[in-house]
Amino acid sequence: MITDDDRRFLDLAIEQARIGWEEGGIPIGAALVHEGEVLAVGRNRRVQLGSAIRHGETDCIENAGRLPAKVYRASTLYTTLSPCFMCAGTSVLYDIPRIVVGENVSFQASEEWLRSRGVVVDVVDDPTCRELMVTMMHEKPELWAEDIGEEA
Amino acid sequence: MITDDDRRFLDLAIEQARIGWEEGGIPIGAALVHEGEVLAVGRNRRVQLGSAIRHGETDCIENAGRLPAKVYRASTLYTTLSPCFMCAGTSVLYDIPRIVVGENVSFQASEEWLRSRGVVVDVVDDPTCRELMVTMMHEKPELWAEDIGEEA
């Protein structure tokens, strides 16, 4: 179930996605929230940092810094796009119990696996998240292929 | 099967683990090798960079920079310790077909999942890799717990 707070935190992730797109990057953003407090936001920075591991979710988790296990275990990860296996695996490493996904039409790989491991995955199907992805996939298909390890 | 070349590339990962330990960090290292050429090495840099996502394998993949899918798909990842789900997920994202693991006694989480996805996982059971981990887990148990998302 998506609450008003969820909507507000997803909007922070969307803001990050927009900033990333304006920077010339891939428009995917994330936010990590612990008991109502925003610990960090992040965005895909493949282009900006020349990075192979800074997806929206991993950039966000990196920006949150070193945290004890109990904090992750009481947090929710918000992401504009359904997580790839790197980001899903990072969530599983840290036992993040819930992920709120902006949309999973443009990309979906890990949701079944996450649910099989007990993670709650709530999908919003947000039109703004989809528009950002559609625009990017149309304008920069090779960049998108690179980001998800596909042949261009 | 472990070849002489595998042994040589694993030794590069072990060298990284030793450097990490001497820096005050967690002694886990990795190397990414494409058709006999070392693309990058890396090591866990949680302590050194205050990082939640720089495990040995992810640090190595980050150090390799942005690569086209076809390079990952013809590469082998060497790591001194059996990969956590973040690092396993990163390998799956990029379709790295083979992982050579120094040891899986100190930690093992993802091998069954990796194999179920078609990844070849070859375990060396190297005593030096184990010694490095045993020493660290004895001297810095709280740091190790943090690194794998466990309660200290």
Side-chain angles (χ1 to χ4, degrees):
Chain A
M1 202 191 96
I2 303 299
T3 66
D4 288 351
D5 275 350
D6 286 332
R7 183 67 243 182
R8 186 160 57 87
F9 297 134
L10 180 62
D11 284 345
L12 294 178
I14 294 172
E15 181 181 34
Q16 288 293 306
R18 285 191 200 282
I19 292 169
W21 181 243
E22 285 161 13
E23 289 171 339
I26 294 168
I28 304 172
L32 185 67
V33 177
H34 176 252
E35 295 179 351
E37 181 198 356
V38 180
L39 298 180
V41 295
R43 58 188 178 276
N44 187 304
R45 293 201 279 176
R46 174 173 294 274
V47 171
Q48 297 92 319
L49 298 181
S51 173
I53 64 168
R54 294 275 194 146
H55 276 191
E57 301 92 320
T58 45
D59 186 62
C60 176
I61 287 167
E62 184 72 330
N63 291 342
R66 293 172 55 183
L67 297 172
K70 66 180 179 186
V71 174
Y72 294 113
R73 291 178 182 190
S75 292
T76 298
L77 181 64
Y78 295 81
T79 174
T80 58
L81 182 69
S82 192
C84 79
F85 275 115
M86 174 173 70
C87 296
T90 306
S91 298
V92 168
L93 167 64
Y94 290 124
D95 272 343
I96 296 173
R98 181 172 177 243
I99 303 178
V100 175
V101 170
E103 66 109 342
N104 64 2
V105 177
S106 306
F107 178 83
Q108 201 282 102
S110 70
E111 289 180 14
E112 182 181 335
W113 180 66
L114 284 165
R115 290 191 176 109
S116 79
R117 297 201 52 98
V119 180
V120 175
V121 181
D122 287 326
V123 180
V124 176
D125 197 22
D126 178 80
T128 303
C129 293
R130 287 174 64 170
E131 280 165 30
L132 282 161
M133 286 299 296
V134 166
T135 302
M136 183 271 292
M137 290 160 85
H138 179 72
E139 293 189 18
K140 302 181 178 181
E142 290 180 6
L143 178 61
W144 176 234
E146 181 192 322
D147 200 54
I148 53 173
E150 301 269 338
E151 303 273 2
Chain B
M1 203 191 94
I2 304 298
T3 67
D4 288 350
D5 275 350
D6 287 332
R7 183 67 242 184
R8 187 162 57 88
F9 297 134
L10 180 62
D11 284 344
L12 292 178
I14 293 172
E15 181 180 35
Q16 287 294 306
R18 285 190 200 282
I19 292 169
W21 180 243
E22 285 161 13
E23 289 170 339
I26 294 168
I28 304 172
L32 185 67
V33 178
H34 176 252
E35 296 178 351
E37 182 199 356
V38 179
L39 298 179
V41 295
R43 58 188 178 274
N44 186 304
R45 292 202 279 176
R46 174 174 295 273
V47 171
Q48 297 92 319
L49 299 180
S51 173
I53 64 169
R54 294 277 193 144
H55 276 192
E57 301 92 321
T58 46
D59 186 62
C60 176
I61 288 168
E62 183 73 331
N63 291 343
R66 294 171 54 183
L67 298 172
K70 67 180 178 186
V71 175
Y72 294 114
R73 291 178 181 190
S75 292
T76 297
L77 181 63
Y78 295 81
T79 174
T80 58
L81 183 68
S82 192
C84 79
F85 276 116
M86 173 173 71
C87 297
T90 306
S91 297
V92 167
L93 166 64
Y94 289 123
D95 272 343
I96 296 173
R98 181 172 178 244
I99 303 178
V100 174
V101 170
E103 65 110 342
N104 65 1
V105 177
S106 307
F107 179 83
Q108 202 282 103
S110 70
E111 289 179 14
E112 184 180 334
W113 179 67
L114 284 165
R115 289 191 177 111
S116 79
R117 298 200 52 99
V119 180
V120 175
V121 181
D122 287 325
V123 180
V124 176
D125 196 22
D126 178 80
T128 303
C129 294
R130 288 173 63 171
E131 280 165 30
L132 283 161
M133 286 299 295
V134 166
T135 302
M136 183 270 293
M137 291 161 84
H138 179 72
E139 293 188 17
K140 302 181 178 181
E142 291 179 7
L143 177 62
W144 177 234
E146 180 193 322
D147 200 54
I148 54 173
E150 302 269 338
E151 303 272 3

